[in-house]
């Protein structure tokens, strides 16, 4: 694919939708030139985990997309930092500030025949986090965590067609 052609997912200035996986949240992508994009994630849970870590998490991921044989599918790779704050569980009083970094790999499908373009994506995004306790206590220290289980399914809608 030459750099002058856009993949189907990148026929739009961006997209917005929901992300479902081990962390549930809002996702949006801003498409750059040459099949590059920046994806933004805002999720519940300070690592983006819903089950037992209340708080919030924001992440920005740079992505590079490749069209698969002139189809509606693209494959992408990327990486980016995250920032979050929250607790290790629902009963804990200790609040942590988390910094993370994630590689990402996935694919998406763009349904072009719909009035509002629908983009369905599946990706794997393991994350390495460093947790800093916000209230210093003698027993609390900086901790690390590796979330290897971050597989997610996203449903997004394309915004502003590029002509």
């Amino acid at each position: 694919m030459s750099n002058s052609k856009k993949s189907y997912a990148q026929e739009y200035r961006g997209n917005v939708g929901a992300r479902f996986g081990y962390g549930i949240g809002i996702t949006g992508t801003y498409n750059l030139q040459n099949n590059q994009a920046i994806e933004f994630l805002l999720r519940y849970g300070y690592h983006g985990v819903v089950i037992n870590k209340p708080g919030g998490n924001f992440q920005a991921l740079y992505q590079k997309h490749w069209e698969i044989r002139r189809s509606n599918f693209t494959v992408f790779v990327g990486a980016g930092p995250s920032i979050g704050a929250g607790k290790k569980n629902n009963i804990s009083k200790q609040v942590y500030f988390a910094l993370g970094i994630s590689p990402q790999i996935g694919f998406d499908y763009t349904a072009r025949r719909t009035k509002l373009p629908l983009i369905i994506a599946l990706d794997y995004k393991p994350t390495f986090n460093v947790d800093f306790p916000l209230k210093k206590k003698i027993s609390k220290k900086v901790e690390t965590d590796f979330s290897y289980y971050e597989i997610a399914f996203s449903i997004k809608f394309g915004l502003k067609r590029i002509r």
Side-chain angles (χ1 to χ4, degrees), residues 35-59:
N35 297 319
Q36 300 173 67
I38 303 289
E39 181 176 16
F40 301 97
L41 305 172
L42 180 60
R43 302 180 298 161
Y44 174 77
Y46 85 100
H47 284 178
V49 178
V50 172
I51 293 176
N52 65 353
K53 296 184 179 183
N57 184 277
F58 175 77
Q59 188 160 33

Side-chain angles (χ1 to χ4, degrees), residues 75-88:
V75 64
F76 59 89
V77 297
S82 66
I83 185 170
K87 300 177 182 180
K88 296 272 184 185

Side-chain angles (χ1 to χ4, degrees), residues 4 6 10-13 115 117 159-163:
S4 64
K6 296 217 179 299
Q10 298 214 335
E11 287 181 354
Y12 304 92
R13 180 58 53 210
K115 190 164 194 155
L159 304 171
K160 194 174 179 184
R161 188 177 196 53
I162 299 172
R163 305 216 184 254

Side-chain angles (χ1 to χ4, degrees), residues 50-71:
V50 172
I51 293 176
N52 65 353
K53 296 184 179 183
N57 184 277
F58 175 77
Q59 188 160 33
L61 299 152
Y62 165 81
Q63 298 174 338
K64 176 69 176 168
H65 290 249
W66 293 274
E67 185 177 359
I68 301 173
R69 296 187 180 195
R70 297 183 185 241
S71 69

Side-chain angles (χ1 to χ4, degrees), residues 32-141:
L32 305 169
Q33 296 179 354
N34 299 325
N35 297 319
Q36 300 173 67
I38 303 289
E39 181 176 16
F40 301 97
L41 305 172
L42 180 60
R43 302 180 298 161
Y44 174 77
Y46 85 100
H47 284 178
V49 178
V50 172
I51 293 176
N52 65 353
K53 296 184 179 183
N57 184 277
F58 175 77
Q59 188 160 33
L61 299 152
Y62 165 81
Q63 298 174 338
K64 176 69 176 168
H65 290 249
W66 293 274
E67 185 177 359
I68 301 173
R69 296 187 180 195
R70 297 183 185 241
S71 69
N72 291 6
F73 288 93
T74 64
V75 64
F76 59 89
V77 297
S82 66
I83 185 170
K87 300 177 182 180
K88 296 272 184 185
N89 58 52
N90 291 326
I91 59 172
S92 175
K93 293 184 181 187
Q94 178 65 50
V95 176
Y96 290 88
F97 173 74
L99 291 175
I101 188 78
S102 304
Q104 182 186 39
I105 186 167
F107 66 92
D108 57 29
Y109 171 81
T110 303
R112 299 177 350 170
R113 294 185 183 200
T114 57
K115 190 164 194 155
L116 188 61
L118 178 67
I119 298 139
I120 299 169
L122 181 66
D123 70 78
Y124 176 60
K125 185 185 65 61
T127 305
F128 177 76
N129 290 294
V130 179
D131 300 329
F132 301 91
L134 290 181
K135 293 182 179 179
K136 295 281 186 182
K137 293 185 178 178
I138 295 172
S139 64
K140 298 297 177 184
K141 60 184 178 190

